[in-house]
Amino acid sequence: MTTSSNHTESIRFPAEWEGAGAILMALPHPETDWAYMLTEVEKCYVAIVECLTATGQNVILLCKDPEYASTLFSHLKNNSRLLLIKADFNDTWTRDYGPISVERFGRNRSLDFGFNGWGLKFASDKDNLVNLQLRDKFVVLPEQYRNERDFILEGGSVESDGRGTLMTTTRCLTSPNRNGGKSKQELNKILNERLGVDHVLWLDYGALAGDDTDSHIDTLARLAPDDSILFTGCRDVDDEQFEELLKMRAQLTLFRTPEGNPYNLVELPLPSAIYDEDGERLPATYANYLVTDKYIYLPTYNQPENDTLAARTLKIVFPDHEIKGIDCRALIKQHGSLHCATMQLPAEFFNDAIFSE
């Protein structure tokens, strides 16, 4: 279903591939749900930070114990690109509680939306204060900060093409535990007023087993340049997700650009099923990649054939980008992956002096 509303010319929600001044992450600590596998997940976070900084990305890492974090990352060759910020948080998925950036009247703004633990599923009292901490510590400049906390919105639930189109899922945004079950029409108006989007693509189907987010769009389908959509496909008719993902694919063929043209659809492979120690299937997906202006950081799952196919598929849509695979088998054990663990921030949000070459 495609809907549109009145466009707010003064607001623009940039596309992720336009680039970032820094990537916001949060380091797991013993008081998070990672406690039982802390060493394993720390290795994953070290690998992510190593890859990001080695490719020229600045990383702002929230950590409960900066002294310990400093020791953990002391070996980094590009440690001037890593900024450790003391902060407290419930969980480490900065994509969903970190600031969402928009351009308002030609200036970047850091929007602080409300976060309630993915529809009141998990504790979020500390996560919901992170953006205020970033403002108070001048990691986000106070004049850039904008309070939008009366509306619940997670970064992983919305995809922008930077030109007024937003893609999201009905299950997530119309959830009664987020904003009282507002209708699509009501939400279109709010998204237009706050993010400046005037063309909303509502995906009604698609769900991954083990997903806690009510079908975040960044696990299922991603907007890409040249009116393209990368989406998670499933070719195994015996897979429990086959029917839902088939319906999603069918709906994507009906989506139209603001000019009335169909989107260029490109199918990403589905990773082979991964299960936790209790036999519960985990929501592994290649759609959960992080993209910048030059690189795509792709979650991999030690499945050489699928991992390689996913990288080659992304290269079709982003021919000038370099693909960097990062093993995210540790992240998936807490039902998230690479995109969930990262949030891009424009350079204009913070003082350039906080990073030094």
Side-chain angles (χ1 to χ4, degrees), residues 52 56 256:
L52 290 172
R256 294 294 180 267

Side-chain angles (χ1 to χ4, degrees), residues 11 38 48 50 53 111 114 121 133 180 294 301-302 331 334 349:
I11 309 174
L38 196 57
I48 295 171
E50 283 178 343
T53 56
L111 305 188
K121 295 183 183 72
Q133 294 180 65
K294 296 179 181 178
Y301 304 102
N302 195 32
L331 293 185
Q334 278 295 314
F349 274 8

